[in-house]
Amino acid sequence: MIRRNYILSLHDLIQIILTKYSNEKKKKIAGNKLASLLRNGLHNIVSEDLLGEDHQTQGSAGQGQWSIVPWIGIFDKNISTTAQKGFDIVYLFSPDMQKVYLSLNQGWTLYKENFGNEAFKKIQTVSYYWQNNLKTRSSRMNDTPIDLQSNIFKTSNLPKGYELGNIFSICYEKNKLPDNEIMVQALRD
């Protein structure tokens, strides 16, 4: 087994993003170290046995401008390799950087492009279906709605799409992050 040199722990990565993102948004995104850290996803953060060959990871701080809801995702290559369609496990950071959600979520862009005005209703219907029918899940996760402050950001439908696409999640508060082992185990679950 190849051993990776871990730069940060999962806990440290999440804490850095929650702490620094708001200030970094005031700077240019091009060449920004925090934006690069987000884009790198969980590479060099979690063990290879967690990601494995069937999974890939990446994140987004935005394209050309800073994202309202930055994210880091893990994609099962057999389902999807993009956050735009399919299902993924994703860390969604609230716009105020007070919370991050570990979420089993859906690709919002697919719904938006295919269903237009019905997109919110369709993605929510699929979320409800899986909340009621998915038998294998961690007891740590729940189907409580996530709050990405979509009521504040009327110029973007991404926060609301992510909120409605949530199937199950765990909410971590900035000042109450659990230790790294607990966070890694939750991700593994």
Side-chain angles (χ1 to χ4, degrees), residues 86-115:
F87 298 90
D88 52 67
I89 298 168
V90 63
Y91 287 95
L92 295 166
F93 294 85
S94 66
D96 64 4
M97 291 296 130
Q98 294 303 306
K99 297 177 186 169
V100 61
Y101 296 91
L102 173 58
S103 173
L104 173 58
N105 212 298
Q106 304 173 66
W108 163 243
T109 303
L110 176 79
Y111 287 90
K112 182 175 70 171
E113 290 175 352
N114 288 296
F115 299 108

Side-chain angles (χ1 to χ4, degrees), residues 8 50 59 77 98 104 113 116 132 134 151 156 163 185:
L8 296 170
L50 183 61
K77 293 177 187 177
Q98 294 303 306
L104 173 58
E113 290 175 352
N132 292 314
L134 192 63
N151 58 327
S156 174
E163 287 173 348
Q185 187 58 48

Side-chain angles (χ1 to χ4, degrees), residues 32-78:
N32 186 282
K33 289 181 181 180
L34 185 65
S36 180
L37 188 64
L38 268 156
R39 286 186 197 106
N40 198 39
L42 298 178
H43 292 288
N44 298 319
I45 303 295
V46 297
S47 66
E48 219 165 79
D49 67 318
L50 183 61
L51 290 178
E53 292 181 18
D54 293 337
H55 295 86
Q56 70 182 44
T57 181
Q58 67 183 41
S60 178
Q63 295 179 356
Q65 62 184 5
W66 290 93
S67 178
I68 295 169
V69 180
W71 56 265
I72 297 174
I74 297 176
F75 308 97
D76 182 327
K77 293 177 187 177
N78 297 312

Side-chain angles (χ1 to χ4, degrees), residues 85-154:
K85 62 182 181 179
F87 298 90
D88 52 67
I89 298 168
V90 63
Y91 287 95
L92 295 166
F93 294 85
S94 66
D96 64 4
M97 291 296 130
Q98 294 303 306
K99 297 177 186 169
V100 61
Y101 296 91
L102 173 58
S103 173
L104 173 58
N105 212 298
Q106 304 173 66
W108 163 243
T109 303
L110 176 79
Y111 287 90
K112 182 175 70 171
E113 290 175 352
N114 288 296
F115 299 108
N117 292 337
E118 294 290 310
F120 289 137
K121 182 179 176 183
K122 295 284 187 182
I123 198 170
Q124 188 171 36
T125 299
V126 173
S127 293
Y128 287 154
Y129 172 83
W130 286 113
Q131 288 167 353
N132 292 314
N133 291 290
L134 192 63
K135 302 298 180 209
T136 305
R137 65 174 170 155
S138 166
S139 62
R140 295 179 181 147
M141 300 189 98
N142 61 63
D143 59 5
T144 302
I146 63 176
D147 180 10
L148 299 174
Q149 303 167 333
S150 63
N151 58 327
I152 297 172
F153 297 98
K154 301 296 184 191

